[in-house]
């Protein structure tokens, strides 16, 4: 135990290196969020950055203090005596109140953004149904009537893999696809369903994530702001093929979207029904 | 001398109610149960029913805990220590049931 | 030495010389209380799950009808459950009397009331068995299906009443053991009937739970 | 009073003599503590090996590793870990580590060891139930391990076992008998932990020795006490949930299931609600993670104070923070469900409670720093792990602030950011608490000292290694790498160098894991050949150091110790040594116990270096 002071110095060093590595790699964005491609994602990224700044400062501060104390007050001689010190109310109150204040700010900002993102979609939003199954995504678009036909797992069969109610008139003209296309800069509201187990509709570039829950319909609305192809990985463990459950999302201009949509089959053709 | 300074042993039941009290409580439990039963069979509905039945159930629970389970004769600290955690069940209720409703809405 | 084993000693031996602070109860009683609290959370979780499921199912079953008894041609809603409630409440009453007598160290009365309590408990379980048979055989209620409405009805019915019934049954066994100890004079020798009171706590707790099952499952 | 003493001695000399009663079916809390520690440690090692298996395909996707495949033929196909085996390993890794390693070792191991010793009791309140608790725990371990070998394999629905995946036989391999055994093992485990918890709580409340008021308890006991309460009130929710899930699986009920189609087959259930399970699970799950951190916090506090030779800074506030964290931990569970389809208003409420929990955590953090400040820091291995704990707790806790914000959690949920968060707080901080505790209390466990040099090597490899494994996982999280993935080949948004990070992590994991065998060697060597320990090798104040190492059956010889002061009288001015055990009367040595000394130093006095209060002459 005599020479234990060296470990204090080492510990201080290690912690400083840790802080440096953290600050450089994160501050310099060596690895970062996927490039943003949606409107509401801006809010998420902002909050992320703010939180990073706050927690980053705390991280640096606490670690530097830790390093300093460990280095400075390591045992050096037998005569050295620790400073008997019980508590310091003003100091303790300070470091209770400051985090409390900071957190109040984060809570306010966070919940406000949350309600905006999760709030009701705009009237003109394009409804799309997203159906999760082991291990693929399927998509249903409304036809001319602008309404999605009913979905229920009990309608699922070889010929009706989408599980759309064949008797629902609103569904006849609906269009089905296995790739998700959405128009640029137009609000889209995804109604998310599942045929079997939990899945999660995750579009990293669009900052979209919402679980698909069997037995209920969940919802997420967004406005895509960048043309491009994006992955839709599944983000909720759903079985052996969870890691290969990946969909494709294409964000394109209105015109390209409409012409793509026109080429997709409708429920009626798929089920061999009349329009 | 030093080892055991605080009161020891047969403390239990040092204070308790006379048998008559138990009989009275028993009687009240019958009465409250009967009222609850009638609240149901006269087909009250809606919030009124829920509130009435909840209040009745809590009254019965209170009587059982206070007299039969002796909380009335225990130290207040024990009463608090037992009742306070039940708040967490209320928290659970408040967390789960509205979510049940939300699920129903989104079926 | 052995001849001198007195109240203090036996009470103290297992507690290695601790005290009763801060609650003013022995550790045995405290332990029972804490166990009850934990058990209350199990029942609480079941009941709250039931409430949640019921909220997410929407429509429910008219329990008044399902649990009605037909007496002399007229249908009396929930009669059996009402009777069961009265039985269980009564058993709580007799239990309280057993405990009250135990305080006075009246061995005979204590045993008598304990037996009465066990008898009422068994009657309760008997009623429950009748009710289960009735629902299963006459109505065809199953955990996964029932003719009245959402399948959750049967599922929760069997879970809640089954779990509660198991508590009543274990209570009867527990009281049986205690009664035996009383009858054998163990507590007289020990100079403390505290165990009767502790068993009483458990029994009243089971009654307490029934209050909530009765209210939430049958009446609501 | 005379009779009482007589009884005391009867008890003391009643040590069981046969080998079986003494070491196997022992009711002695210290033996039970050791049994818990060894069993839990073994479960931890199994969990560690599982994490290695998982790291192989993550670092070298698709590559064949014939040597490893030979050792675990059931899991590999063509030298490559099968995807379903990956999920089974992941599930069991999480389950074993959280419940069977950490919970068991912290509550069962340290709870059993420290509560009676530090309260000044001879044993737990109800030693028989205590023993039963261990054997039931062992049973649950065996059931859980057995599930590895059943047809279909071990449960593979994640440690969270979300239905419908965990409810349907067809949904995933391992959801047959494997999942059933998983649920049964959990129920048995819960029974065991309730038995333990009853004892810990009652013992702390009623079996404290004379003079040991609640506000004189060491922080370890406070933390274990609150953790035990959390367990007792939170586990019931999982128990109820598990019963319902078992019924869904085997009786055809539909608590959690609604009509689904799996593998082309219609499974007709009506009206179940999968979110119900998530609520019940996390009503346990969140308090559970605090069950894991609180005792580690207590251990760190104790060790930091002891090795800084200073009283813990702000003892009362530390106690209140423990209580506050314990209470708050019950009302934050929904933060695991922000994107699950839960009511959005609930999310907002849970945000509030979740982020508030950072406040008592902040207080604790700064109080540890305050304890280090102007101390005389002695870097034993235990101390190194304790300050390592502070570092990692802060790092891991801060990432919780991102996740607690539902808006940010939309992006980060179920990515490696979460994996990074919980491994840094749980796999690192809590594990550091355990290591610190083992090094520190080893003398009380086995009467010998552990090797400090080997210990320090172990610390350095583990400290650097853990950061090397888990810090880069944040980067993966930033990039949106989803968790519970067997491979990432299909994901085009990932930069190619994510694979480099994965490789780095795996290599770090192998090295760090291997370093644990240093610990094992040290442990085994020290048990038999370590230097004999004196009673109080670290010059500690708490009661256990006043008993011989290891303490005899009944702990205290003829008489229970009497406590005259709090546990943190280190470096009190005017004292003859820099520590004053709790058993030293006030007449002999001054005390610095809060409330008993005047006056509290002001800020100005602090800065000028004259904050040292004068002890009262006679505190009585
Ligand atoms: C020991 C275990 C442990 C601990 C202590 C914590 C602590 C915290 N955890 Fe963590 N958590 C887990 C274990 C733990 N967690 C696990 C296992 C999971 C994942 C389970 C799974 O899905 O498999 C998880 C997941 C998890 C989620 C869900 C993520 C998701 O799935 O999307 C969230 C979200 O809110 C969260 C939040 C927090 C917060 C806010 C804290 C806070 O308590 C942290 C508080 C501490 C600090 C903040 C640091 C010290 C403070 C300061 C220095 C003060 C200054 C700070 C500020 C001003 C900001 N955790
Ligand atoms: C305390 C808990 C704990 C611990 C210690 C660990 C340790 C490790 N974990 Fe664990 N992990 C979890 C809890 C833990 N994990 C959980 C809950 C999950 C989620 C599961 C799910 O999604 O369902 C998870 C998931 C998880 C994943 C994500 C899988 C996925 O999402 O696809 C990965 C990936 O790399 C991983 C890696 C590791 C590694 C490399 C280690 C270790 O190798 C690091 C090295 C470990 C040590 C150095 C400590 C071990 C110490 C001992 C064994 C000592 C024995 C002690 C005595 C004898 C006294 N873990
Ligand atoms: Cu679908 Cu994971
Ligand atoms: Cu949590």
């Amino acid at each position: 135990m005599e020479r234990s002071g060296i470990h204090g110095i080492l510990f201080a060093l290690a912690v400083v290196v840790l802080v440096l590595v953290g600050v450089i790699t994160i501050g310099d964005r060596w690895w970062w969020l996927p490039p943003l491609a949606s409107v509401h994602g801006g809010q998420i990224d902002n909050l992320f950055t703010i939180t990073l700044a706050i927690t980053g400062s705390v991280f640096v501060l606490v670690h530097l203090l830790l390093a300093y104390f460990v280095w400075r007050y390591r045992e050096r001689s037998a005569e050295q005596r620790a400073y008997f010190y019980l508590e310091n109310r003003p100091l303790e109150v300070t470091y209770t109140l400051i985090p409390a204040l900071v957190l109040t700010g984060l809570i306010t900002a966070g919940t406000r953004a949350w309600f905006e993102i999760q709030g009701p979609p705009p009237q003109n939003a394009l409804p799309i149904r997203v159906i999760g199954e082991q291990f693929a995504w399927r998509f249903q678009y409304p036809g001319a009537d602008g309404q999605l036909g009913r979905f229920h797992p009990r309608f699922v069969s070889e010929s009706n893999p989408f599980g759309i109610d064949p008797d629902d008139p609103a569904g006849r003209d609906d269009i089905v696809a296995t790739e998700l296309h959405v128009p640029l800069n137009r609000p889209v509201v995804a109604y998310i369903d599942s045929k079997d187990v939990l899945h999660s509709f995750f579009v990293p570039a669009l900052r979209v994530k919402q679980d698909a829950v069997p037995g209920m319909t969940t919802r997420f609305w967004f406005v895509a702001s960048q043309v491009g192809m994006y992955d839709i990985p599944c983000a909720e463990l759903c079985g052996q093929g969870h890691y290969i459950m990946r969909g494709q999302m294409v964000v394109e201009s209105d015109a390209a979207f409409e012409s793509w949509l026109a080429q997709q089959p409708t429920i009626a053709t798929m089920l061999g029904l009349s329009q | 001398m030093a080892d055991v300074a605080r009161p020891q042993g047969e403390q239990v039941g040092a204070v308790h109610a006379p048998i008559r009290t138990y009989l009275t409580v028993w009687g009240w439990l019958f009465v409250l149960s009967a009222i609850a039963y009638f609240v149901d069979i006269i087909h009250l509905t809606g919030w009124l029913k829920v509130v009435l039945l909840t209040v009745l159930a809590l009254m019965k629970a209170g009587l059982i805990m206070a007299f039969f389970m002796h909380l009335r004769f225990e130290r207040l600290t024990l009463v608090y220590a037992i009742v306070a955690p039940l708040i967490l069940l209320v928290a659970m209720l408040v967390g789960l049931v509205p979510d049940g409703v939300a699920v129903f809405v989104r079926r | 030495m052995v001849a001198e084993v007195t109240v203090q000693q036996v009470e103290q031996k297992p507690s290695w010389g601790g005290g009763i602070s801060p609650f003013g109860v022995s550790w045995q009683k405290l332990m029972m209380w804490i166990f009850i609290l934990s058990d209350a959370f199990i029942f609480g979780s079941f009941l709250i799950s039931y409430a949640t499921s019921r909220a997410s199912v929407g429509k429910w079953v008219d329990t008044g009808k399902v649990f009605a008894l037909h007496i002399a041609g007229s249908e009396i809603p929930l009669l059996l459950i009402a009777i069961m409630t009265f039985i269980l409440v009564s058993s709580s009453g007799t239990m309280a009397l057993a405990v009250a007598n135990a305080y006075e160290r009246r061995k005979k009365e204590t045993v008598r009331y304990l037996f009465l309590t066990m008898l009422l408990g068994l009657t309760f379980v008997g009623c429950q068995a009748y009710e289960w048979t009735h629902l299963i055989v006459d109505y065809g209620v199953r955990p996964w299906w029932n003719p009245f409405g959402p399948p959750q009805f049967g599922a929760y019915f069997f879970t809640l009443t089954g779990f509660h019934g198991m508590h009543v049954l274990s209570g009867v066994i527990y009281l049986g053991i205690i009664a035996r100890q009383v009858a054998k004079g163990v507590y007289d020798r020990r100079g403390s009937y505290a165990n009767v009171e502790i068993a009483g706590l458990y029994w009243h707790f089971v009654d307490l739970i029934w209050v909530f099952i009765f209210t939430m499952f049958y009446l609501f | 009073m005379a009779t009482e003493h007589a009884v005391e001695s009867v008890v003391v000399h009643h040590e069981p003599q046969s080998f079986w009663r003494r070491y196997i079916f022992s009711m002695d809390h210290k033996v039970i503590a050791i049994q818990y520690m060894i069993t839990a440690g073994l479960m931890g090692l199994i969990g560690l090996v599982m994490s290695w298996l998982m790291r192989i395909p993550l670092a070298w996707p698709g590559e064949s590793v014939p040597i490893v495949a030979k050792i675990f033929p059931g899991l590999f196909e063509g030298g490559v870990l099968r995807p379903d085996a990956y999920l089974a390993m992941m599930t069991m890794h999480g389950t074993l580590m959280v419940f069977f390693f950490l919970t068991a070792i912290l509550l069962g191991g340290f709870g059993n060891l420290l509560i009676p010793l530090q309260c000044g009791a001879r044993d737990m309140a109800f030693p028989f139930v205590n023993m039963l608790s261990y054997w039931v725990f062992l049973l649950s371990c065996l059931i859980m391990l057995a599930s590895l070998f059943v047809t279909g394999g071990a449960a593979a629905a994640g440690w969270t076992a979300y239905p419908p995946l965990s409810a349907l036989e067809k949904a995933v391999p391992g959801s047959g008998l494997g999942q059933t055994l998983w649920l049964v093992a959990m129920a048995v485990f819960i029974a065991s932990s309730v038995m333990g918890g009853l004892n810990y709580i009652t013992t702390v409340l009623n079996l404290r020795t004379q003079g040991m008021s609640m506000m004189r308890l060491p922080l370890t006991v406070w933390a274990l006490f609150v953790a035990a309460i959390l367990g007792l009130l939170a586990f019931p929710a999982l128990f109820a949930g598990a019963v319902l899930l078992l019924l869904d699986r085997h009786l055809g009920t539909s608590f959690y299931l609604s009509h689904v189609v799996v593998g082309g087959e219609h499974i007709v259930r009506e009206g179940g609600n999968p979110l119900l399970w998530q609520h019940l699970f996390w009503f346990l799950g969140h308090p559970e993670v605090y069950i894991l951190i609180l005792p580690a916090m207590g251990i760190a506090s104790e060790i930091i104070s002891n090795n800084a030779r200073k009283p813990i800074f702000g003892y009362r506030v530390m106690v209140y923070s423990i209580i506050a964290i314990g209470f708050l931990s019950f009302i934050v569970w929904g933060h695991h469900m922000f994107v699950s389809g839960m009511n959005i208003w609930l999310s907002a409420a849970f945000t509030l409670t979740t982020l508030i929990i950072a406040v008592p955590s902040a207080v604790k953090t700064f109080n540890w720093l305050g304890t280090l400040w102007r101390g005389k820091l002695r870097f034993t291995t235990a101390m190194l792990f304790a300050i390592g704990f502070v570092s990692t707790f802060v790092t891991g806790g801060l990432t919780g602030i991102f996740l607690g914000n539902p808006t940010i959690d939309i992006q980060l949920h179920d990515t490696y950011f979460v994996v990074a968060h919980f491994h840094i707080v749980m796999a690192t901080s809590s594990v550091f608490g355990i290591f610190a505790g083992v090094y520190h209390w080893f003398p009380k466990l086995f009467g010998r000292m552990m090797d400090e040099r080997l210990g320090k090597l172990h610390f350095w490899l583990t400290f650097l290694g853990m950061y090397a494994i888990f810090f880069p996982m944040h980067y993966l999280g930033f990039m949106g790498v989803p968790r519970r993935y067997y491979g990432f080949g299909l994901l085009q948004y990932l930069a190619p160098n994510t694979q480099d990070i994965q490789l780095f992590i795996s290599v770090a994991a192998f090295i760090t894991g291997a370093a644990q065998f240093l610990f094992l060697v040290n442990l085994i060597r020290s048990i038999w050949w370590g230097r004999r320990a004196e009673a109080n090798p670290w010059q500690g104040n708490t009661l256990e150091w006043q008993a011989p190492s290891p303490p005899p059956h009944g702990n205290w010889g003829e008489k229970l110790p009497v406590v005259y002061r709090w546990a943190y009288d280190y470096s009190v001015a005017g004292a003859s040594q820099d520590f004053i055990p709790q058993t030293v009367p006030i007449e002999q040595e001054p005390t610095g116990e809060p409330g008993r000394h005047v006056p509290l130093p002001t800020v100005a006095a602090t800065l000028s270096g004259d904050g040292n209060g004068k002890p009262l002459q006679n505190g009585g």
Side-chain angles (χ1 to χ4, degrees), chain D residues 228-246:
Chain D
I229 295 177
L230 296 191
L232 213 77
L233 301 183
F235 271 119
L238 181 61
F239 183 82
V243 168
L244 299 186
L245 187 51
L246 275 170

Side-chain angles (χ1 to χ4, degrees), chain A residues 54-55 58 62 98-100 102-103 106, chain D residues 98 159-160 162 282 286 289-290 292-293 297 335-338 354-355 357-359 361-363 365-366 393-405 409 412-414 418 421-422 425-426 430 483-484:
Chain A
I54 293 173
T55 55
V58 176
V62 171
I98 292 182
V102 171
L103 289 163
L106 283 177
Chain D
V98 171
W159 80 287
T160 51
Y162 282 4
W282 290 116
H286 192 86
V289 303
Y290 286 83
L292 307 182
I293 203 73
M297 284 175 165
H335 67 212
H336 296 273
M337 300 169 63
F338 286 145
T354 300
L355 294 189
I357 225 173
V359 174
S361 309
V363 172
T365 307
F366 291 115
F393 174 70
V394 171
T395 310
L398 288 172
T399 53
I401 302 298
F402 292 79
L403 300 171
N405 193 324
D409 193 50
L412 296 178
H413 174 71
D414 268 349
V418 179
H421 158 69
F422 70 72
V425 266
M426 191 162 70
S430 296
R483 65 189 276 209
R484 295 168 166 175

Side-chain angles (χ1 to χ4, degrees), chain D residues 329-413:
Chain D
S329 72
F330 274 104
I331 46 176
V332 301
W333 78 86
H335 67 212
H336 296 273
M337 300 169 63
F338 286 145
V339 300
S340 68
M342 183 176 69
N343 189 331
I344 59 169
W345 287 90
L346 279 176
S347 303
F350 283 122
T351 308
L352 181 75
T353 51
T354 300
L355 294 189
I356 287 179
I357 225 173
V359 174
S361 309
V363 172
K364 294 198 76 88
T365 307
F366 291 115
N367 280 1
W368 288 318
L369 291 178
T371 310
L372 293 174
W373 177 72
R374 296 190 67 179
K376 179 190 180 188
L377 308 188
R378 191 172 69 182
F379 295 98
T380 62
T381 309
M383 177 65 163
L384 286 170
F385 274 109
I387 52 180
F389 169 90
V390 175
S391 161
T392 52
F393 174 70
V394 171
T395 310
L398 288 172
T399 53
I401 302 298
F402 292 79
L403 300 171
N405 193 324
T407 310
I408 307 177
D409 193 50
I410 293 175
Q411 179 69 5
L412 296 178
H413 174 71

